Short mmCIF file of all heavy atoms in Angstrom, two decimals:
data_model
loop_
_atom_site.label_atom_id
_atom_site.label_comp_id
_atom_site.label_asym_id
_atom_site.label_seq_id
_atom_site.Cartn_x
_atom_site.Cartn_y
_atom_site.Cartn_z
N TYR U 980 -14.92 -36.65 18.23
CA TYR U 980 -14.61 -35.89 19.42
C TYR U 980 -13.50 -34.91 19.11
O TYR U 980 -12.71 -35.12 18.19
CB TYR U 980 -14.18 -36.81 20.54
CG TYR U 980 -15.26 -37.77 20.97
CD1 TYR U 980 -15.29 -39.08 20.52
CD2 TYR U 980 -16.27 -37.34 21.82
CE1 TYR U 980 -16.29 -39.96 20.91
CE2 TYR U 980 -17.27 -38.21 22.22
CZ TYR U 980 -17.28 -39.52 21.77
OH TYR U 980 -18.26 -40.38 22.15
N GLN U 981 -13.42 -33.84 19.91
CA GLN U 981 -12.34 -32.87 19.75
C GLN U 981 -11.75 -32.59 21.13
O GLN U 981 -12.49 -32.38 22.09
CB GLN U 981 -12.87 -31.58 19.11
CG GLN U 981 -11.76 -30.64 18.69
CD GLN U 981 -12.22 -29.60 17.67
OE1 GLN U 981 -13.35 -29.63 17.19
NE2 GLN U 981 -11.34 -28.69 17.32
N LEU U 982 -10.43 -32.64 21.19
CA LEU U 982 -9.70 -32.35 22.41
C LEU U 982 -9.35 -30.87 22.44
O LEU U 982 -8.95 -30.31 21.41
CB LEU U 982 -8.42 -33.20 22.46
CG LEU U 982 -7.48 -32.95 23.63
CD1 LEU U 982 -8.15 -33.31 24.96
CD2 LEU U 982 -6.20 -33.77 23.44
N TRP U 983 -9.49 -30.27 23.61
CA TRP U 983 -9.21 -28.84 23.77
C TRP U 983 -8.24 -28.61 24.92
O TRP U 983 -8.34 -29.27 25.96
CB TRP U 983 -10.50 -28.07 24.09
CG TRP U 983 -11.53 -28.22 23.04
CD1 TRP U 983 -12.55 -29.14 23.02
CD2 TRP U 983 -11.65 -27.46 21.85
NE1 TRP U 983 -13.30 -28.98 21.89
CE2 TRP U 983 -12.77 -27.96 21.15
CE3 TRP U 983 -10.93 -26.41 21.30
CZ2 TRP U 983 -13.18 -27.43 19.92
CZ3 TRP U 983 -11.34 -25.89 20.09
CH2 TRP U 983 -12.44 -26.40 19.41
N PHE U 984 -7.33 -27.67 24.71
CA PHE U 984 -6.54 -27.13 25.81
C PHE U 984 -7.30 -25.92 26.31
O PHE U 984 -7.67 -25.04 25.51
CB PHE U 984 -5.15 -26.69 25.34
CG PHE U 984 -4.27 -27.84 24.89
CD1 PHE U 984 -3.55 -27.74 23.71
CD2 PHE U 984 -4.15 -28.98 25.65
CE1 PHE U 984 -2.72 -28.77 23.31
CE2 PHE U 984 -3.32 -30.03 25.25
CZ PHE U 984 -2.61 -29.91 24.08
N VAL U 985 -7.57 -25.88 27.61
CA VAL U 985 -8.30 -24.75 28.20
C VAL U 985 -7.28 -23.91 28.95
O VAL U 985 -6.79 -24.30 30.01
CB VAL U 985 -9.41 -25.24 29.14
CG1 VAL U 985 -10.19 -24.06 29.70
CG2 VAL U 985 -10.35 -26.22 28.41
N PRO U 986 -6.92 -22.73 28.39
CA PRO U 986 -5.90 -21.91 29.02
C PRO U 986 -6.44 -21.15 30.23
O PRO U 986 -7.65 -21.02 30.42
CB PRO U 986 -5.49 -20.93 27.90
CG PRO U 986 -6.70 -20.84 27.04
CD PRO U 986 -7.39 -22.16 27.13
N LYS U 987 -5.53 -20.65 31.05
CA LYS U 987 -5.92 -19.85 32.22
C LYS U 987 -6.59 -18.57 31.77
O LYS U 987 -7.41 -18.01 32.50
CB LYS U 987 -4.70 -19.56 33.09
CG LYS U 987 -4.17 -20.80 33.77
CD LYS U 987 -3.00 -20.50 34.67
CE LYS U 987 -2.54 -21.78 35.35
NZ LYS U 987 -1.41 -21.56 36.24
N ALA U 988 -6.25 -18.08 30.59
CA ALA U 988 -6.87 -16.86 30.04
C ALA U 988 -7.14 -17.09 28.56
O ALA U 988 -6.33 -17.69 27.86
CB ALA U 988 -5.94 -15.66 30.23
N GLY U 989 -8.29 -16.64 28.10
CA GLY U 989 -8.60 -16.76 26.68
C GLY U 989 -9.45 -17.97 26.35
O GLY U 989 -9.91 -18.70 27.23
N ASN U 990 -9.66 -18.16 25.06
CA ASN U 990 -10.53 -19.22 24.56
C ASN U 990 -9.82 -20.56 24.49
O ASN U 990 -8.59 -20.61 24.37
CB ASN U 990 -11.02 -18.86 23.16
CG ASN U 990 -11.93 -17.66 23.16
OD1 ASN U 990 -12.69 -17.45 24.10
ND2 ASN U 990 -11.86 -16.87 22.11
N PRO U 991 -10.58 -21.66 24.51
CA PRO U 991 -9.98 -22.98 24.32
C PRO U 991 -9.23 -23.07 22.99
O PRO U 991 -9.60 -22.41 22.01
CB PRO U 991 -11.19 -23.91 24.32
CG PRO U 991 -12.24 -23.19 25.09
CD PRO U 991 -12.02 -21.74 24.75
N VAL U 992 -8.20 -23.90 22.98
CA VAL U 992 -7.36 -24.10 21.80
C VAL U 992 -7.49 -25.56 21.38
O VAL U 992 -7.29 -26.46 22.21
CB VAL U 992 -5.89 -23.77 22.12
CG1 VAL U 992 -4.98 -24.08 20.95
CG2 VAL U 992 -5.75 -22.31 22.56
N SER U 993 -7.81 -25.79 20.12
CA SER U 993 -7.96 -27.17 19.64
C SER U 993 -6.64 -27.92 19.73
O SER U 993 -5.59 -27.41 19.34
CB SER U 993 -8.45 -27.18 18.19
OG SER U 993 -8.53 -28.52 17.73
N ALA U 994 -6.73 -29.15 20.24
CA ALA U 994 -5.57 -30.03 20.31
C ALA U 994 -5.75 -31.21 19.37
O ALA U 994 -4.98 -32.16 19.40
CB ALA U 994 -5.36 -30.51 21.74
N GLY U 995 -6.81 -31.17 18.55
CA GLY U 995 -7.02 -32.20 17.55
C GLY U 995 -8.34 -32.93 17.71
O GLY U 995 -9.04 -32.80 18.71
N VAL U 996 -8.68 -33.68 16.67
CA VAL U 996 -9.90 -34.48 16.67
C VAL U 996 -9.52 -35.96 16.74
O VAL U 996 -8.42 -36.34 16.37
CB VAL U 996 -10.77 -34.20 15.42
CG1 VAL U 996 -11.28 -32.78 15.43
CG2 VAL U 996 -10.01 -34.48 14.14
N PHE U 997 -10.44 -36.77 17.25
CA PHE U 997 -10.17 -38.20 17.37
C PHE U 997 -11.47 -38.98 17.42
O PHE U 997 -12.54 -38.42 17.68
CB PHE U 997 -9.33 -38.49 18.61
CG PHE U 997 -10.02 -38.17 19.92
CD1 PHE U 997 -10.67 -39.17 20.63
CD2 PHE U 997 -10.03 -36.89 20.44
CE1 PHE U 997 -11.31 -38.90 21.82
CE2 PHE U 997 -10.66 -36.59 21.64
CZ PHE U 997 -11.30 -37.61 22.34
N ASN U 998 -11.36 -40.26 17.15
CA ASN U 998 -12.47 -41.20 17.29
C ASN U 998 -12.09 -42.20 18.37
O ASN U 998 -10.90 -42.40 18.66
CB ASN U 998 -12.74 -41.94 15.98
CG ASN U 998 -13.33 -41.03 14.94
OD1 ASN U 998 -14.28 -40.30 15.21
ND2 ASN U 998 -12.77 -41.05 13.74
N THR U 999 -13.07 -42.85 18.93
CA THR U 999 -12.81 -43.89 19.91
C THR U 999 -12.76 -45.25 19.23
O THR U 999 -13.29 -45.43 18.14
CB THR U 999 -13.90 -43.92 20.99
OG1 THR U 999 -15.16 -44.19 20.37
CG2 THR U 999 -13.97 -42.61 21.75
N ALA U 1000 -12.13 -46.19 19.91
CA ALA U 1000 -12.14 -47.58 19.44
C ALA U 1000 -13.54 -48.14 19.67
O ALA U 1000 -14.37 -47.52 20.36
CB ALA U 1000 -11.10 -48.38 20.22
N GLN U 1001 -13.81 -49.30 19.14
CA GLN U 1001 -15.13 -49.91 19.27
C GLN U 1001 -15.53 -50.11 20.73
O GLN U 1001 -16.70 -50.04 21.08
CB GLN U 1001 -15.17 -51.25 18.52
CG GLN U 1001 -16.57 -51.75 18.30
CD GLN U 1001 -16.61 -52.87 17.27
OE1 GLN U 1001 -15.59 -53.43 16.91
NE2 GLN U 1001 -17.79 -53.19 16.81
N ASN U 1002 -14.55 -50.29 21.62
CA ASN U 1002 -14.86 -50.48 23.04
C ASN U 1002 -15.01 -49.15 23.78
O ASN U 1002 -15.20 -49.12 24.99
CB ASN U 1002 -13.80 -51.35 23.72
CG ASN U 1002 -12.45 -50.67 23.82
OD1 ASN U 1002 -12.26 -49.52 23.42
ND2 ASN U 1002 -11.48 -51.39 24.34
N GLY U 1003 -14.91 -48.02 23.06
CA GLY U 1003 -15.10 -46.70 23.66
C GLY U 1003 -13.83 -46.05 24.17
O GLY U 1003 -13.86 -44.91 24.63
N SER U 1004 -12.70 -46.71 24.08
CA SER U 1004 -11.45 -46.14 24.57
C SER U 1004 -10.76 -45.31 23.49
O SER U 1004 -11.03 -45.46 22.30
CB SER U 1004 -10.51 -47.25 25.04
OG SER U 1004 -10.09 -48.03 23.94
N ALA U 1005 -9.87 -44.44 23.94
CA ALA U 1005 -9.06 -43.63 23.02
C ALA U 1005 -7.78 -43.22 23.73
O ALA U 1005 -7.78 -43.02 24.95
CB ALA U 1005 -9.82 -42.40 22.57
N VAL U 1006 -6.72 -43.09 22.97
CA VAL U 1006 -5.47 -42.55 23.45
C VAL U 1006 -5.10 -41.42 22.51
O VAL U 1006 -5.04 -41.62 21.29
CB VAL U 1006 -4.35 -43.61 23.49
CG1 VAL U 1006 -3.03 -42.97 23.88
CG2 VAL U 1006 -4.72 -44.74 24.42
N VAL U 1007 -4.88 -40.23 23.06
CA VAL U 1007 -4.55 -39.06 22.25
C VAL U 1007 -3.30 -38.41 22.84
O VAL U 1007 -3.24 -38.18 24.04
CB VAL U 1007 -5.71 -38.04 22.25
CG1 VAL U 1007 -5.35 -36.81 21.44
CG2 VAL U 1007 -6.99 -38.67 21.75
N GLU U 1008 -2.33 -38.16 22.00
CA GLU U 1008 -1.13 -37.43 22.40
C GLU U 1008 -1.14 -36.10 21.68
O GLU U 1008 -1.39 -36.06 20.47
CB GLU U 1008 0.13 -38.20 22.07
CG GLU U 1008 0.30 -39.45 22.91
CD GLU U 1008 1.63 -40.13 22.66
OE1 GLU U 1008 2.62 -39.44 22.30
OE2 GLU U 1008 1.69 -41.35 22.83
N ALA U 1009 -0.90 -35.03 22.41
CA ALA U 1009 -0.88 -33.69 21.81
C ALA U 1009 0.15 -32.83 22.53
O ALA U 1009 0.25 -32.89 23.76
CB ALA U 1009 -2.26 -33.06 21.92
N ASP U 1010 0.92 -32.08 21.76
CA ASP U 1010 1.89 -31.17 22.34
C ASP U 1010 1.21 -29.86 22.70
O ASP U 1010 0.45 -29.30 21.90
CB ASP U 1010 3.02 -30.89 21.34
CG ASP U 1010 3.86 -32.14 21.07
OD1 ASP U 1010 4.06 -32.93 22.00
OD2 ASP U 1010 4.31 -32.30 19.92
N VAL U 1011 1.48 -29.37 23.89
CA VAL U 1011 0.95 -28.08 24.32
C VAL U 1011 1.75 -26.98 23.65
O VAL U 1011 2.99 -26.99 23.70
CB VAL U 1011 1.04 -27.94 25.86
CG1 VAL U 1011 0.54 -26.57 26.30
CG2 VAL U 1011 0.26 -29.05 26.55
N PRO U 1012 1.07 -26.03 22.99
CA PRO U 1012 1.80 -24.93 22.34
C PRO U 1012 2.65 -24.16 23.36
O PRO U 1012 2.23 -23.94 24.50
CB PRO U 1012 0.69 -24.04 21.78
CG PRO U 1012 -0.49 -24.95 21.64
CD PRO U 1012 -0.36 -25.93 22.78
N ALA U 1013 3.84 -23.77 22.93
CA ALA U 1013 4.74 -23.01 23.79
C ALA U 1013 4.06 -21.75 24.32
O ALA U 1013 3.35 -21.06 23.59
CB ALA U 1013 6.01 -22.64 23.02
N GLY U 1014 4.24 -21.50 25.59
CA GLY U 1014 3.72 -20.29 26.21
C GLY U 1014 2.26 -20.36 26.64
O GLY U 1014 1.74 -19.41 27.22
N LEU U 1015 1.58 -21.47 26.38
CA LEU U 1015 0.17 -21.60 26.76
C LEU U 1015 0.09 -22.13 28.18
O LEU U 1015 0.54 -23.24 28.47
CB LEU U 1015 -0.54 -22.55 25.80
CG LEU U 1015 -2.06 -22.63 25.93
CD1 LEU U 1015 -2.70 -21.28 25.58
CD2 LEU U 1015 -2.60 -23.71 25.01
N GLU U 1016 -0.45 -21.32 29.10
CA GLU U 1016 -0.62 -21.74 30.49
C GLU U 1016 -1.97 -22.43 30.63
O GLU U 1016 -3.01 -21.78 30.54
CB GLU U 1016 -0.52 -20.55 31.42
CG GLU U 1016 0.86 -19.95 31.52
CD GLU U 1016 0.93 -18.90 32.61
OE1 GLU U 1016 0.77 -19.28 33.79
OE2 GLU U 1016 1.10 -17.72 32.27
N LEU U 1017 -1.93 -23.73 30.85
CA LEU U 1017 -3.17 -24.51 30.88
C LEU U 1017 -3.84 -24.52 32.24
O LEU U 1017 -3.19 -24.59 33.27
CB LEU U 1017 -2.91 -25.95 30.47
CG LEU U 1017 -2.53 -26.19 29.03
CD1 LEU U 1017 -2.39 -27.69 28.77
CD2 LEU U 1017 -3.54 -25.59 28.10
N MET U 1018 -5.18 -24.50 32.20
CA MET U 1018 -6.00 -24.68 33.37
C MET U 1018 -6.62 -26.08 33.35
O MET U 1018 -6.85 -26.68 34.38
CB MET U 1018 -7.11 -23.62 33.39
CG MET U 1018 -8.08 -23.73 34.54
SD MET U 1018 -9.30 -22.41 34.57
CE MET U 1018 -10.24 -22.76 33.10
N ALA U 1019 -6.90 -26.59 32.13
CA ALA U 1019 -7.57 -27.88 31.99
C ALA U 1019 -7.42 -28.41 30.57
O ALA U 1019 -7.00 -27.69 29.67
CB ALA U 1019 -9.05 -27.72 32.33
N ALA U 1020 -7.81 -29.67 30.41
CA ALA U 1020 -7.98 -30.28 29.09
C ALA U 1020 -9.43 -30.74 29.05
O ALA U 1020 -9.99 -31.15 30.07
CB ALA U 1020 -7.03 -31.44 28.90
N ALA U 1021 -10.04 -30.66 27.88
CA ALA U 1021 -11.46 -30.99 27.77
C ALA U 1021 -11.74 -31.68 26.44
O ALA U 1021 -10.96 -31.61 25.50
CB ALA U 1021 -12.30 -29.72 27.88
N VAL U 1022 -12.90 -32.35 26.38
CA VAL U 1022 -13.35 -33.03 25.17
C VAL U 1022 -14.78 -32.59 24.88
O VAL U 1022 -15.61 -32.50 25.79
CB VAL U 1022 -13.30 -34.57 25.34
CG1 VAL U 1022 -13.93 -35.26 24.14
CG2 VAL U 1022 -11.87 -35.03 25.53
N THR U 1023 -15.05 -32.31 23.60
CA THR U 1023 -16.41 -32.02 23.15
C THR U 1023 -16.76 -32.94 21.99
O THR U 1023 -15.89 -33.53 21.37
CB THR U 1023 -16.56 -30.56 22.66
OG1 THR U 1023 -15.63 -30.33 21.60
CG2 THR U 1023 -16.34 -29.55 23.77
N THR U 1024 -18.04 -33.05 21.74
CA THR U 1024 -18.52 -33.78 20.57
C THR U 1024 -18.71 -32.76 19.46
O THR U 1024 -19.53 -31.86 19.58
CB THR U 1024 -19.87 -34.47 20.88
OG1 THR U 1024 -19.67 -35.32 22.00
CG2 THR U 1024 -20.35 -35.28 19.71
N GLU U 1025 -17.92 -32.88 18.40
CA GLU U 1025 -17.96 -31.93 17.29
C GLU U 1025 -18.09 -32.71 15.98
O GLU U 1025 -17.83 -33.90 15.92
CB GLU U 1025 -16.69 -31.07 17.26
CG GLU U 1025 -16.41 -30.29 18.53
CD GLU U 1025 -17.43 -29.22 18.87
OE1 GLU U 1025 -18.33 -28.93 18.06
OE2 GLU U 1025 -17.34 -28.66 19.98
N PRO U 1026 -18.46 -32.02 14.90
CA PRO U 1026 -18.54 -32.68 13.59
C PRO U 1026 -17.16 -33.16 13.12
O PRO U 1026 -16.14 -32.65 13.58
CB PRO U 1026 -19.08 -31.61 12.65
CG PRO U 1026 -19.34 -30.40 13.45
CD PRO U 1026 -18.84 -30.62 14.84
N ALA U 1027 -17.15 -34.12 12.21
CA ALA U 1027 -15.90 -34.62 11.63
C ALA U 1027 -15.05 -33.46 11.15
O ALA U 1027 -15.56 -32.51 10.56
CB ALA U 1027 -16.20 -35.57 10.48
N GLY U 1028 -13.77 -33.49 11.45
CA GLY U 1028 -12.87 -32.41 11.06
C GLY U 1028 -12.70 -31.36 12.13
O GLY U 1028 -11.77 -30.57 12.09
N GLY U 1029 -13.62 -31.31 13.10
CA GLY U 1029 -13.51 -30.35 14.20
C GLY U 1029 -13.92 -28.95 13.82
O GLY U 1029 -14.28 -28.67 12.67
N LEU U 1030 -13.88 -28.08 14.81
CA LEU U 1030 -14.25 -26.68 14.64
C LEU U 1030 -13.23 -25.79 15.34
O LEU U 1030 -12.48 -26.25 16.21
CB LEU U 1030 -15.65 -26.43 15.22
CG LEU U 1030 -16.80 -27.14 14.50
CD1 LEU U 1030 -18.08 -27.00 15.29
CD2 LEU U 1030 -16.97 -26.56 13.10
N PRO U 1031 -13.20 -24.48 15.01
CA PRO U 1031 -12.23 -23.59 15.64
C PRO U 1031 -12.49 -23.34 17.12
O PRO U 1031 -11.57 -23.02 17.86
CB PRO U 1031 -12.35 -22.28 14.86
CG PRO U 1031 -13.22 -22.55 13.69
CD PRO U 1031 -13.91 -23.85 13.91
N GLN U 1032 -13.76 -23.48 17.56
CA GLN U 1032 -14.11 -23.29 18.97
C GLN U 1032 -15.18 -24.31 19.33
O GLN U 1032 -15.95 -24.75 18.47
CB GLN U 1032 -14.65 -21.87 19.22
CG GLN U 1032 -13.59 -20.79 19.18
CD GLN U 1032 -12.56 -20.95 20.30
OE1 GLN U 1032 -12.89 -20.96 21.47
NE2 GLN U 1032 -11.30 -21.11 19.92
N PRO U 1033 -15.27 -24.70 20.61
CA PRO U 1033 -16.28 -25.66 21.02
C PRO U 1033 -17.69 -25.12 20.77
O PRO U 1033 -17.93 -23.92 20.92
CB PRO U 1033 -16.04 -25.84 22.52
CG PRO U 1033 -14.75 -25.18 22.82
CD PRO U 1033 -14.43 -24.26 21.71
N THR U 1034 -18.61 -26.02 20.40
CA THR U 1034 -19.99 -25.59 20.13
C THR U 1034 -20.94 -25.92 21.26
O THR U 1034 -22.09 -25.51 21.23
CB THR U 1034 -20.52 -26.25 18.84
OG1 THR U 1034 -20.47 -27.67 19.00
CG2 THR U 1034 -19.72 -25.81 17.63
N GLY U 1035 -20.49 -26.66 22.23
CA GLY U 1035 -21.36 -27.02 23.34
C GLY U 1035 -20.57 -27.22 24.62
O GLY U 1035 -19.39 -26.90 24.68
N ALA U 1036 -21.24 -27.78 25.58
CA ALA U 1036 -20.60 -28.04 26.88
C ALA U 1036 -19.53 -29.11 26.74
O ALA U 1036 -19.57 -29.95 25.84
CB ALA U 1036 -21.65 -28.48 27.89
N PHE U 1037 -18.57 -29.09 27.64
CA PHE U 1037 -17.52 -30.10 27.65
C PHE U 1037 -18.11 -31.43 28.13
O PHE U 1037 -18.80 -31.49 29.15
CB PHE U 1037 -16.38 -29.71 28.59
CG PHE U 1037 -15.62 -28.48 28.16
CD1 PHE U 1037 -15.24 -27.54 29.07
CD2 PHE U 1037 -15.26 -28.30 26.84
CE1 PHE U 1037 -14.52 -26.41 28.70
CE2 PHE U 1037 -14.54 -27.18 26.45
CZ PHE U 1037 -14.18 -26.24 27.37
N ALA U 1038 -17.87 -32.50 27.36
CA ALA U 1038 -18.31 -33.84 27.74
C ALA U 1038 -17.39 -34.40 28.81
O ALA U 1038 -17.82 -35.14 29.67
CB ALA U 1038 -18.33 -34.75 26.51
N LEU U 1039 -16.12 -34.05 28.73
CA LEU U 1039 -15.11 -34.42 29.74
C LEU U 1039 -14.29 -33.18 30.04
O LEU U 1039 -13.98 -32.40 29.13
CB LEU U 1039 -14.19 -35.51 29.20
CG LEU U 1039 -14.81 -36.86 28.88
CD1 LEU U 1039 -13.78 -37.74 28.17
CD2 LEU U 1039 -15.29 -37.54 30.15
N LEU U 1040 -13.91 -33.02 31.29
CA LEU U 1040 -13.07 -31.89 31.69
C LEU U 1040 -12.12 -32.37 32.77
O LEU U 1040 -12.55 -32.92 33.78
CB LEU U 1040 -13.93 -30.74 32.22
CG LEU U 1040 -13.20 -29.50 32.73
CD1 LEU U 1040 -12.44 -28.81 31.59
CD2 LEU U 1040 -14.18 -28.55 33.37
N GLY U 1041 -10.85 -32.18 32.54
CA GLY U 1041 -9.84 -32.57 33.52
C GLY U 1041 -8.99 -31.37 33.90
O GLY U 1041 -8.27 -30.83 33.08
N ALA U 1042 -9.11 -30.95 35.15
CA ALA U 1042 -8.33 -29.82 35.64
C ALA U 1042 -6.87 -30.22 35.81
O ALA U 1042 -6.57 -31.36 36.14
CB ALA U 1042 -8.89 -29.32 36.96
N LEU U 1043 -5.98 -29.30 35.55
CA LEU U 1043 -4.55 -29.54 35.69
C LEU U 1043 -4.04 -28.77 36.90
O LEU U 1043 -4.45 -27.64 37.17
CB LEU U 1043 -3.81 -29.08 34.45
CG LEU U 1043 -4.26 -29.75 33.15
CD1 LEU U 1043 -3.58 -29.12 31.96
CD2 LEU U 1043 -3.98 -31.23 33.19
N ASN U 1044 -3.14 -29.38 37.62
CA ASN U 1044 -2.54 -28.72 38.79
C ASN U 1044 -1.22 -28.12 38.44
O ASN U 1044 -0.46 -28.57 37.71
CB ASN U 1044 -2.38 -29.72 39.93
CG ASN U 1044 -3.71 -30.21 40.43
OD1 ASN U 1044 -4.70 -29.49 40.38
ND2 ASN U 1044 -3.74 -31.43 40.91
#
């Protein structure tokens, strides 16, 4: 999986790749880059090592207030 910061303007920014535990859970900590105004955080299914941009729809999307 790959975690993305979805900014208010521009393309998603990778926040790192991760795997889930055997029970399907995961905990990911990531620092938001300075000056990035976030609209949401999202997760996609990507190949090992991740990619510079998402290749498909977001599997999870959490809007930020």
Side-chain angles (χ1 to χ4, degrees):
Y980 297 99
Q981 190 161 355
L982 176 64
W983 301 94
F984 293 134
V985 183
K987 291 182 179 180
N990 294 326
V992 175
S993 177
V996 295
F997 65 96
N998 290 311
T999 60
Q1001 196 166 13
N1002 68 2
S1004 67
V1006 175
V1007 179
E1008 291 186 29
D1010 293 325
V1011 177
L1015 189 64
E1016 291 188 65
L1017 291 184
M1018 177 177 67
V1022 173
T1023 58
T1024 303
E1025 303 295 352
L1030 294 171
Q1032 287 296 302
T1034 59
F1037 294 139
L1039 296 172
L1040 178 64
L1043 302 174
N1044 295 330

